[in-house]
Amino acid sequence: MNETLNTLETRRSIRSYRCEQVPEDVLEEILRAGTYAPTGMGMQSPVMVVVQDPGMIGKLSALNAAVMGTDSDPFYGAPTVIVVLADKERGTCVEDGSLVMGNLMNAAASLGIGSCWIHRAREVFAGNEGKELMKTWGLDPEKYIGVGHCILGYAAEQGKAKPRKEGYVIRV
């Protein structure tokens, strides 16, 4: 099996991380893959905000948990969070950001780094605290919407793939 197809089949969402940080050179490769995600008309509506400061990760985790009505860590202790936002004026912004998330996760898996897509970015960055964070990051909170949080780190444990469902593919 070719390397790309193998990565696509073996990547898993990781929900338990070691505290060891992702090396900078590996992170750069993952981010580069994100910048090559397909986007509507090639307009590149998404932006990625890399967060590795434990205090900021804690703040983002708390905001995300509040959307769920809990105080648990929705980032599972991951040492890196990539916030994917997209220009809401582009009709394909959510799709564009989703493809960036996919590229990030598949690139991470190909480099031995665990990842998981954490939802609720839309709600976090629609709120006042999320908008304030965007301002501190130099982004116009009226222009961008949250698409997802891609958490990264070394997996403490790896799950197994569920069997593929019957009827997944329909040929006509």
Side-chain angles (χ1 to χ4, degrees), residues 49-94:
V49 179
V50 180
V51 182
Q52 293 184 307
D53 173 70
M56 180 58 71
I57 290 174
K59 181 177 184 91
L60 288 170
S61 175
L63 289 171
N64 196 296
V67 174
M68 291 191 298
T70 184
D71 60 1
S72 64
D73 177 18
F75 297 154
Y76 305 107
T80 297
V81 176
I82 302 172
V83 179
V84 177
L85 305 154
D87 182 344
K88 64 184 172 186
E89 293 176 14
R90 297 293 314 154
T92 58
C93 61
V94 173

Side-chain angles (χ1 to χ4, degrees), residues 143-154:
K143 181 175 181 175
Y144 291 97
I145 62 166
V147 176
H149 304 84
C150 181
I151 59 173
L152 299 174
Y154 288 100

Side-chain angles (χ1 to χ4, degrees), residues 147-169:
V147 176
H149 304 84
C150 181
I151 59 173
L152 299 174
Y154 288 100
E157 57 188 65
Q158 177 107 4
K160 297 217 185 286
K162 293 179 182 177
R164 303 296 92 179
K165 69 180 183 178
E166 288 291 322
Y168 214 140
V169 177

Side-chain angles (χ1 to χ4, degrees), residues 26-39:
V26 175
L27 178 60
E28 285 300 320
E29 288 186 71
I30 294 167
L31 293 167
R32 182 172 166 83
T35 69
Y36 279 90
T39 59

